[in-house]
Amino acid sequence: MSAIADLFDTDLSVVNVGLEMFADDLTAQGAEVTHLQWTPPGGGRPEVLAAIEVLERPEIAARIEAANREALERITTSQPMLVGFGQAIDVVPGMTRTTILHAGPPIAFDDMSGSMRGAVTGALVFEGLAADLEDARRVAASGEITFAPCHEHGCVGSMAGVTSASMYMHVVENATYGNRSYTNLSEQLAKVLRMGANDRSVIDRLVWMRDVLGPILKEAMEIGGPIDLRLMLARAVHMGDECHNRNVAGTTLLIQALAPGIVQTSFPTELKVQVFDFVASSDYFSGPTWMAMAKAALDAAHGIEFSTVLTTMARNGVEHGLRVSGIGGNTWFTGPAQPVVGPMFAGYRPEDSGLDIGDSAITETYGIGGFAMSAAPAIVALVGGTVDEAVDVTRQMAEITTGENPNVTIPLLGFTGVPTGIDVQKVQVSGILPIINTAIAHKEAGIGMIGAGITHPPVEAFDKAIIALAERFQAGPATEG
Amino acid sequence: MSAIADLFDTDLSVVNVGLEMFADDLTAQGAEVTHLQWTPPGGGRPEVLAAIEVLERPEIAARIEAANREALERITTSQPMLVGFGQAIDVVPGMTRTTILHAGPPIAFDDMSGSMRGAVTGALVFEGLAADLEDARRVAASGEITFAPCHEHGCVGSMAGVTSASMYMHVVENATYGNRSYTNLSEQLAKVLRMGANDRSVIDRLVWMRDVLGPILKEAMEIGGPIDLRLMLARAVHMGDECHNRNVAGTTLLIQALAPGIVQTSFPTELKVQVFDFVASSDYFSGPTWMAMAKAALDAAHGIEFSTVLTTMARNGVEHGLRVSGIGGNTWFTGPAQPVVGPMFAGYRPEDSGLDIGDSAITETYGIGGFAMSAAPAIVALVGGTVDEAVDVTRQMAEITTGENPNVTIPLLGFTGVPTGIDVQKVQVSGILPIINTAIAHKEAGIGMIGAGITHPPVEAFDKAIIALAERFQAGPATEG
């Protein structure tokens, strides 16, 4: 027998580098495979390789390391507190009666995805800025409405993220660094504005949220006082939420914390009961809460010279935009929004899906959501995949992040902190993209949620980001020149 | 080189049978060890071996298998519903004004552990049956008080389990089989009657629970209607509770379900707020609830001829008593209550610990608690050990149980059902004792909880049980002669 035949007669342990197809073949044959997902740095793209080389220059690398340490510290030491609820017009900086905020990077109405257009027109009817949905399409395209990303107004918005003047917002204050963030309230069920639905039932719910839910929560917070969201988040993660698409624990913890205040509000008992019933109608209630919490922490880490840490991943359904600490401000690095792969609700097929949408990837940017899937094995029932894969994701994400968050830990991994501070440079060098688990909205306006699954930001956005970082760092920090 | 020297020069994978010391040695040397915990069936005890032989006779074995299938089905198809709250005197069968129920098998006052005596005397003061604790000791020993196990009155009691006439009880009805079970309300904090504390603060809390908490919960249930406890339990297990010592999720789910009813009760707002604050003051609130749920399911599986399945594991702090389905009735098989090994609260040492106490092992008997530790890796912070050990326990318990409960699953184990229906015969053949995770009460009266940890029922109780089963089955079922 030849030596090579001997080799294939023994049990194989194989380390596979590169092409996944080969690994699949070996796995199908029952061999153990450790797949390293190795790709050449920057995917071998010359401009990206050149940018990586700049970032690896010792004098720049040292400044990056210090800046990223600072970014990580700011994210993990941030203590976001829920301090109240209020209408967007009253609490959101720069809000006007004719402003519509939306998820993701900037986009014009005509370019928006179906679900975002559905949400915008629904919101215009809700605000009384249009008589009906047809009128709303005219108004939206008329130039009378100011469209802007949520992120550029201190906000985050789930899915379409459409936020209008009279909607009630969470008000979250970062007790450590003083900045504030905002997000609107969960509409709960599947046929909701944030997913692009906009019929009478959707508008009626928004009216009830404006006239009953919002005012009761506002008064409840005035009575009950601030709620430590980071502490509550840490508990929710210990209770099997990853806090993006699984919010079972967070919702129960949040309503438990709000309950004494709600009971003491001046509203009639019947309306208080409506609030409890509404919160109990879906596990999603705390989903937006964690988004605002993450936003408050990440905004505190935005604009640190020489930091390659991401502070925003946000999608508008057409483009996925990144913001990077070391660039700061409202500079977006974009690429095409990606498909979301996962189980569909009965009656829908993958081709019905809109592309990845929403500011909710702020949770992954913070280190929860897809990054904390190992804390939430039950999530696979919603987003697909196996429990083993879910557990493994957190370890993978540790390879592209700056460190751990000691305040948000995963019991199953021996109480390791969630992987935090996505590093553009590590993403490019490793070829590992951040994982996002997310809901799927129908691609057309007026329908709603049709599934959930897994996706990634586009590599194009990371290419633009690292090239810009290299240019900036080569030139020296903005304050020096 | 000799062949044996070659062997020890290579990496070793060793399957170790029997003495653990040898395994420890190998592990210390860095070899991989798979330890089977093999002991001879029945520990080699002749009477037990003879009993096992009887149970393995084909005609008996076939009847046992069918009976245990029936027991498993009754446990897993039971749908216990929380249907109300009421005072023990009004709802518990056979309760009188001078009855004190306690945890575990029967025991006289003079023989009780320190913590149980503390709880009994506290309850007598609370009920107005004694002027003070000294008087209570006299009353308790006077013969005027009827002592009986909770289990013999359809009840279960946490720790000392002391239950007196005016305490409010959960009323749980098994919707599938019609039987009811009862347990009193969580006192929450560490210095509580159930742990043997009995000072003024403890009595005052019991008075508030009788006059405020109990009546509000009773009215809330009348307004809100029944709550499906099995469904809620399944959710809590998916949220990282093992539902014996970790009740974070269960407590939030339960108060969320009760909230709309509480809000609508006729009580003043101030008292409603007290109830929400009390429930939020400790994660233990749902602990007793799951005990009553498990009791309702297991009582439905009690008294099945030829079943070797345990329906009760209960400890009074001196003895640990088992009840077995195929024997039925109030026949207890007892052995000495065991020490509980785990982390102590600051300032206490293992020698301060009382022995294992409480009816709470009804949770393990149902398949949760210690049996579901792999669902609750965060529990190790309370009961000690490592996350890997916690995860492994569930797999071990599968070896001594009859099957899985498809209604209560563990995401981390690929949504496997919890191991259910502890089989006395499998325990004896495998030498694996059921694991119980539990709180530690101080050994003296008047102090309270001082830690938590892991323990087992005594092997003596299993010896008595299997010998009785063999005698019974040899004689043929009771109904046949």
Side-chain angles (χ1 to χ4, degrees):
Chain A
M1 238 184 201
S2 71
I4 195 83
D6 280 345
L7 175 66
F8 284 101
D9 257 355
T10 61
D11 286 346
L12 285 176
S13 278
V14 178
V15 175
N16 180 49
V17 173
L19 292 175
E20 240 170 275
M21 197 72 83
F22 182 56
D24 292 348
D25 282 354
L26 279 174
T27 309
Q29 292 163 32
E32 282 179 41
V33 173
T34 306
H35 183 58
L36 291 178
Q37 284 200 299
W38 182 83
T39 53
R45 296 177 295 281
E47 277 184 288
V48 176
L49 281 172
I52 292 173
E53 275 174 30
V54 171
L55 269 47
E56 286 176 347
R57 287 181 199 161
E59 72 281 12
I60 292 181
R63 300 190 73 162
I64 290 174
E65 199 198 329
N68 286 352
R69 242 193 338 261
E70 167 77 8
L72 178 66
E73 193 191 321
R74 283 175 163 259
I75 296 167
T76 59
T77 59
S78 283
Q79 191 184 8
M81 309 286 291
L82 180 63
V83 295
F85 293 92
Q87 285 184 286
I89 190 71
D90 296 330
V91 298
V92 172
M95 196 70 192
T96 74
R97 288 277 168 206
T98 53
T99 296
I100 296 279
L101 304 180
H102 61 78
I107 189 167
F109 178 73
D110 287 342
D111 298 330
M112 287 177 184
S113 70
S115 64
M116 189 178 278
R117 281 202 311 273
V120 166
T121 49
L124 292 173
V125 173
F126 163 64
E127 291 291 347
L129 295 170
D132 54 33
L133 292 172
E134 199 185 312
D135 187 37
R137 279 186 287 273
R138 183 193 58 75
V139 172
S142 69
E144 294 161 28
I145 302 300
T146 307
F147 292 102
C150 290
H151 265 293
E152 299 188 1
H153 287 260
C155 297
V156 273
S158 179
M159 298 302 288
V162 164
T163 303
S164 59
S166 64
M167 289 182 182
Y168 270 82
M169 312 293 286
H170 297 67
V171 181
V172 174
E173 184 169 302
N174 187 332
T176 318
Y177 298 102
N179 57 299
R180 285 191 165 199
S181 64
Y182 313 88
T183 196
N184 59 15
L185 295 167
S186 166
E187 303 163 82
Q188 304 290 67
L189 308 161
K191 194 178 174 190
V192 286
L193 192 81
R194 71 173 185 273
M195 297 283 180
N198 53 16
D199 69 12
R200 196 65 244 169
S201 71
V202 173
I203 307 298
D204 287 348
R205 190 188 303 115
L206 290 174
V207 169
W208 176 84
M209 290 170 70
R210 180 193 64 201
D211 296 345
V212 178
L213 177 65
I216 288 183
L217 293 181
K218 178 174 188 289
E219 193 181 329
M221 284 298 298
E222 287 160 5
I223 294 166
I227 294 172
D228 186 333
L229 291 180
R230 189 182 64 181
L231 194 64
M232 189 177 280
L233 175 85
R235 293 188 76 198
V237 171
H238 280 201
M239 293 164 74
D241 281 3
E242 40 68 77
C243 299
H244 182 167
N245 278 287
R246 187 170 162 87
N247 288 291
V248 183
T251 293
T252 58
L253 290 171
L254 185 58
I255 189 62
Q256 187 182 24
L258 291 167
I262 292 171
V263 171
Q264 293 173 77
T265 59
S266 56
F267 290 80
T269 297
E270 185 196 338
L271 298 185
K272 296 176 189 173
V273 172
Q274 285 180 11
V275 168
F276 283 108
D277 288 345
F278 180 74
V279 173
S281 71
S282 160
D283 297 332
Y284 187 63
F285 191 71
S286 67
T289 315
W290 304 136
M291 288 170 57
M293 193 227 66
K295 167 79 171 162
L298 288 157
D299 274 2
H302 195 53
I304 300 171
E305 295 286 356
F306 281 98
S307 172
T308 57
V309 165
L310 282 188
T311 49
T312 305
M313 298 193 289
R315 316 84 94 198
N316 59 30
V318 177
E319 286 188 315
H320 190 134
L322 310 178
R323 297 195 303 176
V324 186
S325 177
I327 301 292
N330 287 326
T331 304
W332 294 88
F333 302 102
T334 61
Q338 300 294 299
V340 182
V341 179
M344 313 299 294
F345 291 175
Y348 294 103
R349 291 175 305 174
E351 51 269 40
D352 299 323
S353 304
L355 298 174
D356 189 20
I357 189 168
D359 290 334
S360 57
I362 196 74
T363 55
E364 279 83 7
T365 320
Y366 181 77
I368 51 176
F371 281 46
M373 295 237 287
S374 59
I379 190 78
V380 300
L382 180 70
V383 301
T386 68
V387 169
D388 285 348
E389 286 165 359
V391 170
D392 199 45
V393 161
T394 300
R395 283 189 257 258
Q396 280 180 43
M397 293 303 105
E399 295 185 39
I400 57 168
T401 42
T402 307
E404 294 169 10
N405 186 336
N407 301 306
V408 184
T409 62
I410 300 180
L412 184 65
L413 302 184
F415 297 88
T416 301
V418 294
T420 302
I422 301 168
D423 183 342
V424 171
Q425 188 176 1
K426 287 186 177 175
V427 169
Q428 286 288 7
V429 170
S430 69
I432 299 173
L433 289 167
I435 195 165
I436 297 167
N437 70 36
T438 193
I440 303 174
H442 198 284
K443 65 182 173 185
E444 305 295 345
I447 299 174
M449 180 170 174
I450 62 170
I454 300 288
T455 189
H456 297 277
V459 72
E460 293 87 336
F462 284 93
D463 286 359
K464 292 176 188 169
I466 199 162
I467 291 165
L469 284 165
E471 281 173 12
R472 168 73 66 96
F473 297 170
Q474 247 176 331
T479 48
E480 290 179 26
Chain B
M1 237 185 203
S2 71
I4 195 83
D6 280 345
L7 175 66
F8 283 101
D9 258 353
T10 61
D11 286 345
L12 284 177
S13 278
V14 178
V15 175
N16 180 49
V17 173
L19 293 175
E20 240 169 276
M21 198 72 84
F22 181 56
D24 291 347
D25 282 354
L26 279 174
T27 309
Q29 292 162 32
E32 282 179 41
V33 174
T34 306
H35 182 58
L36 292 178
Q37 283 201 298
W38 183 81
T39 52
R45 296 178 294 282
E47 278 184 288
V48 175
L49 282 171
I52 292 173
E53 274 173 30
V54 171
L55 269 47
E56 286 176 347
R57 287 180 199 161
E59 71 281 10
I60 292 180
R63 300 189 74 163
I64 290 174
E65 198 197 329
N68 285 351
R69 243 194 337 262
E70 167 77 8
L72 178 67
E73 193 190 320
R74 283 174 163 260
I75 296 167
T76 59
T77 59
S78 283
Q79 191 184 7
M81 310 286 291
L82 180 62
V83 295
F85 292 93
Q87 285 184 287
I89 190 70
D90 296 329
V91 298
V92 172
M95 196 70 193
T96 74
R97 289 277 168 206
T98 52
T99 297
I100 296 280
L101 304 180
H102 60 77
I107 189 168
F109 178 73
D110 287 342
D111 299 330
M112 287 177 184
S113 70
S115 64
M116 189 178 278
R117 281 201 313 271
V120 166
T121 49
L124 292 174
V125 173
F126 163 64
E127 292 291 347
L129 295 169
D132 54 33
L133 292 172
E134 198 185 313
D135 187 38
R137 279 186 286 273
R138 184 194 57 76
V139 172
S142 70
E144 295 162 28
I145 302 299
T146 307
F147 292 101
C150 290
H151 265 293
E152 299 189 0
H153 287 260
C155 297
V156 273
S158 179
M159 299 302 288
V162 164
T163 303
S164 59
S166 64
M167 289 181 183
Y168 270 82
M169 311 293 286
H170 296 68
V171 181
V172 173
E173 184 168 302
N174 186 331
T176 318
Y177 299 101
N179 57 297
R180 285 192 166 198
S181 64
Y182 313 88
T183 196
N184 59 14
L185 295 167
S186 166
E187 303 164 81
Q188 305 290 68
L189 308 162
K191 194 177 174 190
V192 286
L193 192 80
R194 70 174 187 274
M195 298 282 181
N198 54 16
D199 69 12
R200 197 64 245 170
S201 71
V202 173
I203 307 299
D204 286 348
R205 191 188 303 116
L206 290 174
V207 169
W208 176 84
M209 290 170 69
R210 180 193 65 201
D211 296 345
V212 177
L213 177 65
I216 288 183
L217 293 181
K218 178 175 189 289
E219 193 180 329
M221 285 299 297
E222 287 160 4
I223 294 166
I227 294 172
D228 186 333
L229 291 180
R230 189 183 64 182
L231 195 64
M232 190 178 280
L233 175 85
R235 293 188 76 199
V237 171
H238 280 200
M239 293 164 74
D241 280 4
E242 41 68 77
C243 300
H244 182 167
N245 278 288
R246 187 169 162 88
N247 288 291
V248 184
T251 294
T252 58
L253 290 171
L254 185 58
I255 189 62
Q256 187 182 24
L258 291 167
I262 293 171
V263 172
Q264 294 173 76
T265 59
S266 55
F267 290 80
T269 297
E270 184 197 338
L271 298 185
K272 296 176 188 173
V273 172
Q274 285 180 10
V275 167
F276 282 108
D277 288 345
F278 180 74
V279 173
S281 71
S282 160
D283 297 332
Y284 187 63
F285 191 71
S286 68
T289 315
W290 304 136
M291 288 171 57
M293 193 227 67
K295 167 79 171 162
L298 288 157
D299 274 2
H302 195 53
I304 300 171
E305 295 284 358
F306 281 98
S307 173
T308 57
V309 165
L310 282 188
T311 49
T312 305
M313 297 193 289
R315 316 84 94 198
N316 59 29
V318 177
E319 286 188 315
H320 189 133
L322 310 178
R323 297 195 303 176
V324 186
S325 177
I327 301 292
N330 287 326
T331 304
W332 294 88
F333 302 103
T334 61
Q338 301 294 299
V340 182
V341 179
M344 313 299 294
F345 291 175
Y348 294 103
R349 290 175 305 174
E351 51 268 38
D352 299 323
S353 303
L355 297 174
D356 190 20
I357 188 168
D359 291 335
S360 57
I362 195 74
T363 55
E364 279 83 7
T365 320
Y366 181 78
I368 51 176
F371 281 46
M373 294 236 288
S374 60
I379 190 78
V380 300
L382 180 69
V383 300
T386 69
V387 170
D388 285 349
E389 285 165 359
V391 170
D392 199 45
V393 161
T394 300
R395 282 189 257 259
Q396 279 180 44
M397 293 302 105
E399 295 185 40
I400 58 168
T401 42
T402 307
E404 294 169 11
N405 187 336
N407 300 307
V408 184
T409 62
I410 300 179
L412 184 65
L413 302 183
F415 297 89
T416 302
V418 294
T420 303
I422 301 168
D423 183 342
V424 171
Q425 189 176 0
K426 288 187 177 176
V427 169
Q428 286 288 7
V429 170
S430 69
I432 299 173
L433 289 167
I435 195 165
I436 296 166
N437 70 37
T438 193
I440 303 173
H442 198 283
K443 64 183 174 185
E444 304 295 346
I447 299 175
M449 180 170 174
I450 61 170
I454 300 287
T455 189
H456 297 277
V459 72
E460 293 88 336
F462 284 93
D463 286 359
K464 292 176 188 170
I466 200 163
I467 291 165
L469 284 164
E471 280 173 13
R472 168 73 65 96
F473 297 171
Q474 246 175 331
T479 48
E480 290 177 26

